[in-house]
Amino acid sequence: MSRRSRKNVGLIGLGIIGRRVAENLRKRGFHVFVWNRTPRPVPNFVGSVAEVAELCNVIQIFVADDEALRDIIQQLSSVLTAHHVVLAHCTVAPESMQAAAEVVQRRGARFLDAPFTGSKVAAEKGELTYYVAGDDGALREARRFLEASSKEIIEFGEIGEATLIKLATNIVTAASVQAVAEALALVAKCGVPPEKFERALRGNASRSTTIEMKLPKMMDSDFEPHFSVKHMLKDLQIAERLADSLELKFPVTEAVRDVQLAEMKDGRGDEDYSCVVRRYFPDGVPSERKTEPVPETPELPLKNRPEPIEEAVAEPQPEPATVEAISAVAISETTPAEPTSATPAVTTREATESRLGFLRRLFSRGTDY
């Protein structure tokens, strides 16, 4: 097993986000040692949480909920030292984050409250945004590891504040997707193509990154999980409990939570939370994009095109004309049939000789006049 070094980093939890963060750390040249409750065939998969701490000073935790965080911290506690920095990236109740920090700090180690925003695609691209609260020195030590999978790191104050902000942003995210589902239902049930609504939102003030990402997938009934129903429901329930403790009423959050809960009860907990649109469109959103176009015959390159078939009649080409033949036609068209009283009588022979002389002089000069 590799020795502890400054390039070592431990990662616990290989879910949708965790395994992609591990990949980005490897791309940046770090030695990543990982553990997951279910073993995975990935590099440097070790046998226990404690073994991760034995190899790495910086440990990133990507687990699902409060209970999982408490369990991991308990397994780590006996091996933590003053050299360790523990980053909790899960979205949990602020009091759970604070309790985890107390356990770590009692061992002399340092702790960062560091939830993130951004789903699977952002994790793949290394474009997560981390909300980080805790010790400044710990953040300085951990920053280079966070930068491997992020586009921004936003600092907060006391432990628990970053988690509170993450919960608040998820209220907005869940409500936005629910509002889009309802708006789609209104438009489509009134007979207007949903594509027109999609185009209108591009220039509307309510446009957001969430809507840009989720609306096309909702219209295509693509509910591959980027952020699952069960995780969104968990976050909304935490927010609701906090609101109750503060004697606040959040009717929008409660309504959105009820819809996510219904999806969970219907067996869709592992689907993306945007599947709420299916409550209005069990068979999928009617879409012009789903209509199969009539395939067009591909246009052949010019060199491969067949010659056009035409009923053409060749025009007869005149034989080369002599001066005498041309003059004969001219004479026949211009000689009066009968002499008039005002015109002296001229014989046919005289007329012919006169016109032949004229035409010979004409053709000898050319036709440039």
Side-chain angles (χ1 to χ4, degrees), residues 239-257:
E240 184 185 19
R241 289 197 298 271
L242 283 170
D244 288 343
S245 70
L246 297 167
E247 298 183 350
L248 297 173
K249 289 296 181 183
F250 288 173
V252 173
T253 303
E254 291 175 8
V256 174
R257 175 214 59 201

Side-chain angles (χ1 to χ4, degrees), residues 88-150:
H89 299 297
C90 39
T91 305
V92 296
E95 60 266 27
S96 295
M97 193 67 74
Q98 291 162 346
E102 289 173 7
V103 173
V104 170
Q105 290 164 349
R106 279 200 300 267
R107 297 291 302 177
R110 289 158 294 166
F111 184 91
L112 291 174
D113 168 15
F116 60 89
T117 183
S119 60
K120 180 170 68 175
V121 174
E124 286 175 351
K125 295 180 178 180
E127 295 179 353
L128 297 173
T129 294
Y130 288 105
Y131 303 148
V132 183
D135 181 75
D136 290 340
L139 178 55
R140 282 195 298 272
E141 189 171 338
R143 181 177 288 275
R144 60 198 178 105
F145 299 104
L146 292 175
E147 288 174 345
S149 58
S150 68

Side-chain angles (χ1 to χ4, degrees), residues 25 35 46 61 76 106 111 121 137 177 206 209 215-216 307 324 344 355:
L25 285 163
W35 183 88
V46 300
I61 301 174
L76 280 173
R106 279 200 300 267
F111 184 91
V121 174
V177 168
S206 61
T209 303
L215 179 53
E307 292 295 328
E324 288 79 0
R355 292 183 183 279

Side-chain angles (χ1 to χ4, degrees), residues 60-327:
Q60 297 185 251
I61 301 174
F62 290 89
V63 294
D65 52 34
D66 301 59
E67 183 180 354
L69 177 62
R70 285 193 294 268
D71 181 54
I72 294 299
I73 294 298
Q74 186 62 40
Q75 293 183 57
L76 280 173
S77 62
S78 62
V79 293
L80 291 176
T81 69
H83 299 292
H84 285 103
V85 176
V86 177
L87 299 92
H89 299 297
C90 39
T91 305
V92 296
E95 60 266 27
S96 295
M97 193 67 74
Q98 291 162 346
E102 289 173 7
V103 173
V104 170
Q105 290 164 349
R106 279 200 300 267
R107 297 291 302 177
R110 289 158 294 166
F111 184 91
L112 291 174
D113 168 15
F116 60 89
T117 183
S119 60
K120 180 170 68 175
V121 174
E124 286 175 351
K125 295 180 178 180
E127 295 179 353
L128 297 173
T129 294
Y130 288 105
Y131 303 148
V132 183
D135 181 75
D136 290 340
L139 178 55
R140 282 195 298 272
E141 189 171 338
R143 181 177 288 275
R144 60 198 178 105
F145 299 104
L146 292 175
E147 288 174 345
S149 58
S150 68
K151 64 179 180 180
E152 187 176 12
I153 298 169
I154 302 176
E155 298 181 41
F156 293 89
E158 300 297 322
I159 289 171
E161 288 184 15
T163 287
L164 181 64
I165 294 297
K166 176 61 192 303
L167 291 168
T169 61
N170 278 1
I171 289 176
V172 177
T173 299
S176 296
V177 168
Q178 181 63 35
V180 166
E182 294 175 14
L184 271 176
L186 178 65
V187 168
K189 300 300 182 182
C190 289
V192 177
E195 284 80 6
K196 293 187 176 181
F197 171 67
E198 183 182 24
R199 286 195 296 271
L201 273 183
R202 293 174 195 165
N204 191 273
S206 61
R207 173 187 177 188
S208 69
T209 303
T210 295
I211 291 174
E212 287 180 355
M213 179 172 62
K214 295 299 183 184
L215 179 53
K217 292 184 177 296
M218 293 164 77
M219 293 178 64
D220 292 338
S221 298
D222 177 3
F223 305 121
E224 179 186 354
H226 292 244
F227 189 8
S228 68
V229 167
K230 63 186 178 185
H231 290 152
M232 180 60 82
L233 175 61
K234 176 259 298 177
D235 294 354
L236 293 172
Q237 289 172 330
I238 294 172
E240 184 185 19
R241 289 197 298 271
L242 283 170
D244 288 343
S245 70
L246 297 167
E247 298 183 350
L248 297 173
K249 289 296 181 183
F250 288 173
V252 173
T253 303
E254 291 175 8
V256 174
R257 175 214 59 201
D258 288 345
V259 177
Q260 294 288 333
L261 180 59
E263 292 297 299
M264 187 77 177
K265 290 179 178 178
D266 287 344
R268 294 193 274 269
D270 290 324
E271 294 189 9
D272 193 88
Y273 73 99
S274 60
C275 68
V276 293
V277 74
R278 195 156 43 196
R279 306 193 76 77
Y280 305 105
F281 304 100
D283 299 322
V285 178
S287 172
E288 293 175 350
R289 289 183 292 191
K290 296 176 184 177
T291 303
E292 291 292 335
V294 178
E296 296 181 0
T297 303
E299 187 174 352
L300 293 173
L302 287 174
K303 64 180 181 179
N304 295 330
R305 294 183 189 174
E307 292 295 328
I309 300 173
E310 297 180 358
E311 293 293 334
V313 179
E315 295 183 1
Q317 298 299 317
E319 294 294 329
T322 62
V323 173
E324 288 79 0
I326 295 173
S327 63

Side-chain angles (χ1 to χ4, degrees), residues 353-365:
E353 289 177 348
S354 174
R355 292 183 183 279
L356 282 174
F358 167 78
L359 289 170
R360 285 191 182 99
R361 291 193 299 273
L362 173 65
F363 277 86
S364 68
R365 292 201 307 265

Side-chain angles (χ1 to χ4, degrees), residues 10-25:
L11 193 144
I12 297 171
L14 295 175
I16 290 175
I17 304 300
R19 65 176 178 266
R20 289 168 172 81
V21 170
E23 289 168 3
N24 279 299
L25 285 163

